[in-house]
Amino acid sequence: MKDIQIIELLFRRAEEAIACLAEKYGAMCQAIARRILWDERDSEECVNDTWVQTWNAIPPQRPAYLGGFVGRITRNLALDRLDYNHAQKRDSTLQETFWELSSSLPDPGDTVTDEMTFRDFLDRFLRRQSEEHRRYFLRRYWYGMSVREIAQACGVGEEKVKSALFRTRNKLRQAMEEEGIHV
C-alpha cells in the first residue's frame, strides 16, 4: 500500500492503518530500535509505541515521507528508552557515536539556533554532500551503525569510512560557522 493511502486511512481513523504501517515499515522501525537498544523486548515495545504515536500525530500532521516520519518517532523513542535504561551507566557504543558528532553540533545554549532551523540547515548540508558521504553519515549518526558495519554494508574499507566521516564532520562544522551557528 502506498504512503498516501496509509495516511488517508489514518485520517479516517481506520484501525487497519496500523496493520499497514506495521507491514510496510515494521522491519525498518525494528532495525532502528534494535540498533540503539540491543534488547528485543525494548525494541518491540518501542515499535509498538511508534504506532501509537503515529496514530496520535496523524491527523493533524500529514508527513511528506511516512517512512522518515515513523523512523524518526522510533529513533526518538529508542533514545528515550536508552536514556532511561542507562541513567547512571552510559552505553559506550552509542555514546561514542554521539561524542564524535558533538563537536560538530550547535551549542545547546545558542538561542539563535532553534531545532527547526538546525534541521533545515542539516538537511541542506547533507544534500550538498556526495551520495557516498551522505550514506556513511546517516548510517553512523542516524542509524547508529558502527564503522565496521558501514564498511561491510557498503563494500569498502573501514579507513575509508572513518576518513569520510571525519571530513564530513569538519565540513559540517565549517558550514555552521559560515552560517553563524555557534559550535
Side-chain angles (χ1 to χ4, degrees):
M1 182 174 281
K2 293 185 178 182
D3 286 359
I4 190 74
Q5 294 169 312
I6 297 172
I7 291 171
E8 288 306 318
L9 288 173
L10 287 164
F11 264 84
R12 290 194 319 233
R13 307 315 268 164
E15 289 184 17
E16 69 184 277
I18 300 301
C20 294
L21 273 172
E23 181 180 326
K24 187 165 185 180
Y25 294 111
M28 176 193 76
C29 291
Q30 189 69 28
I32 292 170
R34 197 176 306 117
R35 189 164 310 284
I36 293 171
L37 297 170
W38 295 96
D39 180 270
E40 194 65 33
R41 287 181 297 174
D42 280 349
S43 297
E44 285 178 27
E45 186 176 332
C46 186
V47 171
N48 288 333
D49 289 347
T50 297
W51 308 143
V52 172
Q53 281 201 12
T54 302
W55 178 266
N56 291 332
I58 303 174
Q61 294 184 42
R62 186 179 291 270
Y65 176 58
L66 190 57
F69 186 80
V70 296
R72 184 183 70 216
I73 290 172
T74 303
R75 182 175 182 273
N76 290 341
L77 288 169
L79 290 172
D80 288 346
R81 174 57 61 112
L82 180 71
D83 281 346
Y84 176 79
N85 289 347
H86 298 92
Q88 296 302 315
K89 54 182 179 169
R90 296 295 176 202
D91 181 34
S92 62
T93 310
L94 205 53
Q95 291 300 317
E96 176 187 330
T97 302
F98 293 136
W99 179 82
E100 276 177 18
L101 193 57
S102 66
S103 66
S104 300
L105 293 176
D107 178 9
D110 186 4
T111 55
V112 175
T113 309
D114 66 5
E115 186 178 344
M116 289 301 290
T117 303
F118 184 69
R119 272 193 225 158
D120 292 341
F121 165 78
L122 189 57
D123 187 44
R124 286 190 319 271
F125 170 78
L126 289 173
R127 285 185 187 158
R128 291 191 308 257
Q129 305 310 304
S130 70
E131 183 180 338
E132 179 181 53
H133 286 201
R134 187 171 49 242
R135 184 180 304 123
Y136 298 160
F137 189 90
L138 290 173
R139 284 179 184 219
R140 180 71 171 149
Y141 303 116
W142 175 261
Y143 294 106
M145 293 175 77
S146 70
V147 171
R148 174 175 284 146
E149 290 172 315
I150 297 168
Q152 289 172 345
C154 296
V156 298
E158 290 181 39
E159 287 305 314
K160 180 174 183 174
V161 173
K162 286 180 186 177
S163 176
L165 288 170
F166 177 77
R167 286 193 303 270
T168 304
R169 287 192 309 270
N170 285 340
K171 287 180 187 177
L172 175 61
R173 194 175 314 111
Q174 181 181 4
M176 288 173 54
E177 289 171 2
E178 289 171 2
E179 292 257 340
I181 300 172
H182 301 285
V183 181

